[in-house]
Amino acid sequence: MKALVAVKRVVDANVKVRVKADKTGVDLTNVKMSINPFCEIAVEEAVRLKEKGAVTEIVVVSVGPQAAQEQIRSALALGADRGILVQTDDEVGALEVAKILKGIVDQEKPEVILLGKQAIDDDSNQVGQMLAALMGAGQGTFASEVKVEGGKVQVTREVDGGLQTVELALPAIITTDLRLNEPRYAALPNIMKARKKPLDTKSPSDYGVATGTKLKTILVEAPADRKAGVQVKSVDELVEKLRNEAKVI
Amino acid sequence: MSILVYAEHDNNSILSATLNTVTAAQKIGGDIHVLVAGQNAQAAADAAAKIAGVSKVLLADNAAYGHQLAENVAKLIADLGKNYSHILAPATTTGKNVLPRVAALLDVSMVSEIIAVDSPDTFKRPIYAGNAIATVKSEEAIKVITVRGTGFDAAAAEGGSAAVEAVGTVEDAGVSSFVGEELAKSDRPELTSAKIVVSGGRGVGSGENYYKILEPLADKLGAALGASRAAVDAGFVPNDLQVGQTGKIVAPSLYLAVGISGAIQHLAGMKDSKVIVAINKDEEAPINAIADYWLVGDLNTVIPELVSKL
């Protein structure tokens, strides 16, 4: 069984981003970029499924600039078998990414497709669900446990009130939540080996998809600053402030 | 212009996030219809009909919608949604699961987690875990949108008198089925919708300490319990309690950060809280910079004292 994993190159989670002075976006020059943390969990899960014998090949795909091959190489170092970079410097919306992934699914015919639940840059939380819709396949979003057996997959999902388990026919889409696993670190020898693994470069037009999006970002602003707070000296003073000044208790 | 709001409900009642979504719909302006999809959900539909500002309730009552599986419900919403200019749902796990699927079925882009409505096609939403606010304009014919509940006040749950209309369509995609669920038994409110959150960090010291010290405070305040990533990574608490960029985003009326230094990762998940209180033994902790009130002291003595004075 083949697994397809989608990974995104994003600003590192520990970087405090700054809004550009002209308010067209955030400043990403000379900022550390990494594999999106939820995508890392998706790669790890695919590798674990392979270690259990449920999956035989892992294909990792990224849509983005030439530099996104670094993130594909990271995934290869963690245990993926080969990579596909759909290279573009244009903006690509979630719907368009889902359409590109649909094109890859049609060619590669994976049975399990793993994505992160959301990218920590645009915070959309859309691509996995959209891909599932385009495929007419089942979706196990916000997964905290995945069991593949007997031509089906059981996914335990993190929902607002607790956990929900659904069973999906294959092929199915799974989007990962934080509790699913703890991603491993790539060992140096594996990083070296990953350099020799195959990585194809494609373009969105290879899948008949035009880049861009019908969501136009008009303005990007810094969030409003909070007004300066005060230090309280005692528990009594804190309780008094919360009751009478802030009126929150 | 007419707007379809997908209701979050438990078959018996309408959950509060739906009320915030109705307010967002009112800001867009137009006729507001609410869709209740479920099994034996008449009571929820009746409750939806009473929400102020709603002109019609559509009830799709069928076993296929029993657990609101995305595969079945999304097809229903997409079919009905063709006649609307806007399709809205709360940005709960249900809304987030279903709506992108609806958007793709309609072949339109979607706007996630709006916090403000500028005009019927222009919305504000946080990006980079709230470190920037984007204003986006949708050029799609049908605007598919999830609404962050903390961005809008709740519409009045009483006062409306909408008609309830049954929807006969039944969609069963046949690719998914419900196996079971394990809902948290806690009497405490759910973390993302709680009005008060008590959160502990590495400074709490241990898992045992976390529960011993923070639980009484949470109980007293009727608050949800949260944690920083440091507390989760140290094994004090399970990571479904994690508040932060990779955990849950909360915006309660009151957020009490106890023994939390205030790393960027954590602030991203709670800095929209109305009032932030930091209790920390370190006078220089970064969390103090965004706190409305901060108290420097040993949490082992300060928290029990606080509990006794509430």
Side-chain angles (χ1 to χ4, degrees), chain B residues 4-305:
Chain B
L4 183 64
V5 172
Y6 179 64
E8 170 101 16
H9 66 90
D10 59 6
N11 289 326
N12 293 311
S13 59
I14 295 293
L15 303 188
S16 65
T18 307
L19 302 176
N20 306 93
T21 306
V22 167
T23 301
Q26 285 169 331
K27 297 208 177 207
I28 291 167
D31 220 10
I32 300 170
H33 298 176
V34 171
L35 170 63
V36 174
Q39 187 177 13
N40 300 326
Q42 183 69 44
D46 292 342
K50 293 190 189 125
I51 302 173
V54 172
S55 65
K56 186 157 81 173
V57 173
L58 303 171
L59 171 61
D61 204 326
N62 191 279
Y65 308 130
H67 298 280
Q68 300 182 56
L69 295 174
E71 297 78 4
N72 302 349
V73 169
K75 188 76 171 49
L76 170 74
I77 301 173
D79 285 351
L80 295 170
K82 290 191 178 83
N83 307 316
Y84 291 86
S85 61
H86 294 75
I87 303 172
L88 270 57
T92 54
T93 48
T94 306
K96 290 175 181 179
N97 189 35
V98 172
L99 242 58
R101 194 168 174 116
V102 172
L105 291 174
L106 293 169
D107 194 26
V108 297
S109 300
M110 172 185 155
V111 192
S112 292
E113 301 218 26
I114 62 163
I115 53 168
V117 173
D118 279 4
S119 76
D121 64 1
T122 307
F123 313 94
K124 282 193 167 56
R125 61 178 301 265
I127 54 175
Y128 290 89
N131 287 309
I133 308 296
T135 303
V136 293
K137 182 176 187 323
S138 171
E139 293 176 352
E140 299 286 7
I142 303 175
K143 278 84 176 166
V144 179
I145 298 164
T146 54
V147 176
R148 186 176 281 192
T150 53
F152 299 88
D153 294 333
E158 299 286 337
S161 56
V164 178
E165 194 176 285
V167 177
T169 336
V170 177
E171 302 286 356
D172 191 345
V175 291
S176 61
S177 56
F178 172 83
V179 176
E181 65 190 354
E182 196 182 309
L183 299 179
K185 285 174 199 76
S186 163
D187 292 334
R188 282 203 191 88
E190 202 271 315
L191 185 53
T192 52
S193 60
K195 290 204 161 51
I196 302 180
V197 173
V198 172
S199 221
R202 199 195 302 272
V204 177
S206 68
E208 195 189 337
N209 231 14
Y210 177 95
Y211 290 105
K212 195 179 82 195
I213 294 179
L214 298 188
E215 258 184 352
L217 179 58
D219 288 344
K220 200 95 184 205
L221 292 167
L225 281 171
S228 70
R229 179 158 192 166
V232 173
D233 286 350
F236 299 173
V237 292
N239 59 1
D240 57 330
L241 294 192
Q242 186 183 322
V243 171
Q245 185 168 19
T246 49
K248 290 179 172 154
I249 311 278
V250 301
S253 308
L254 174 61
Y255 188 90
L256 281 140
V258 181
I260 292 176
S261 65
I264 304 170
Q265 212 285 343
H266 186 72
L267 303 187
M270 45 64 78
K271 65 186 168 52
D272 291 329
S273 304
K274 198 187 266 171
V275 174
I276 297 171
V277 171
I279 297 170
N280 211 301
K281 66 178 191 300
D282 179 7
E283 201 151 338
E284 303 296 321
I287 189 111
N288 296 346
I290 67 151
D292 297 277
Y293 307 109
W294 73 91
L295 178 61
V296 177
D298 181 355
L299 61 94
N300 294 297
T301 54
V302 168
I303 303 300
E305 188 188 343

Side-chain angles (χ1 to χ4, degrees), chain A residues 136-154:
Chain A
Q139 64 187 53
T141 53
F142 323 139
S144 63
E145 200 182 345
V146 173
K147 277 189 234 159
V148 182
E149 50 196 12
K152 296 203 167 203
V153 57
Q154 274 207 359

